[in-house]
Amino acid sequence: MIAALLRLHTEVDARARELAVHHAARLQCKRGCSGCCVDGITVFAIEAERIRANNKELIARGTPHPTGACAFLDAEGACRVYADRPYVCRTQGLPLRWLDEERGAELRDICPLNETSEPIEALTEDSCWTLGPMEARLAELQRASGRDRERVALRELFRPRESMLR
């Protein structure tokens, strides 16, 4: 399952990199920019397992960032698990688009720091990250792992695993 998750993350990174190059003039995102790194983010259990497996020392001996921002930020606002960050973190800052099927409308959003004079509504579909397809693939990997809809708050990873199972 981890191999499939790594392949998915690699695909996400490749497409996100293409979009970041395309929007280089717009994107203000850089190391230490952590406006999107809010507390309370939850991830699928399979992504939490990747973080746990590859960051054992940090989780066992490290201190989570103070409440209010992601537990995995360091004092300068940089991600301490960047290589293993979950899907949601891999697309932050990019122009996002999704379909609201209830309203039959396309919606778009972008970090306020990355707004420019060109409105995101004017962007072509292929110059936005489309929410849905990758999330569906990630959900399928989660189901295949036998954990169905289980989600884990990133801050919870710093708590002993035994207390999470109660």
Side-chain angles (χ1 to χ4, degrees):
M1 204 55 54
I2 292 295
L5 178 62
L6 290 172
R7 283 192 300 276
L8 182 115
H9 281 171
T10 299
E11 275 185 64
V12 168
D13 289 346
R15 178 66 179 133
R17 197 172 311 111
E18 288 173 12
L19 288 172
V21 168
H22 179 77
H23 293 292
R26 170 189 289 268
L27 299 179
Q28 302 300 307
C29 307
K30 61 186 176 291
R31 182 178 174 83
C33 176
S34 56
C36 298
C37 306
V38 297
D39 217 348
I41 292 176
T42 64
V43 299
F44 280 120
I46 58 171
E47 289 188 300
E49 284 304 320
R50 177 181 180 186
I51 294 168
R52 243 188 229 112
N54 295 328
N55 298 277
K56 291 176 184 172
E57 184 69 21
L58 170 63
I59 290 169
R61 301 194 195 313
T63 303
H65 190 278
T67 303
C70 178
F72 285 102
L73 292 177
D74 68 15
E76 288 78 41
C79 180
R80 295 183 284 175
V81 295
Y82 189 81
D84 302 303
R85 70 198 184 284
Y87 163 79
V88 66
C89 302
R90 293 169 185 272
T91 59
Q92 288 298 322
L94 297 173
L96 305 174
R97 68 177 285 277
W98 65 97
L99 302 177
D100 182 338
E101 294 180 13
E102 279 185 25
R103 293 192 278 175
E106 178 189 274
L107 302 174
R108 295 186 178 200
D109 195 21
I110 193 166
C111 172
L113 298 174
N114 295 331
E115 290 186 81
T116 64
S117 59
E118 179 186 20
I120 62 170
E121 292 77 19
L123 299 175
T124 62
E125 285 182 19
D126 65 335
S127 65
C128 297
W129 182 270
T130 300
L131 297 174
M134 288 295 186
E135 291 84 354
R137 288 178 55 196
L138 182 57
E140 183 54 40
L141 288 176
Q142 175 80 5
R143 278 190 293 280
S145 76
R147 295 175 128 163
D148 198 27
R149 297 176 184 247
E150 181 185 346
R151 295 190 64 89
V152 177
L154 291 176
R155 186 165 295 282
E156 295 293 317
L157 294 178
F158 280 95
R159 296 199 176 136
R161 185 144 190 197
E162 303 78 51
S163 68
M164 291 175 55
L165 298 175
R166 289 184 196 151

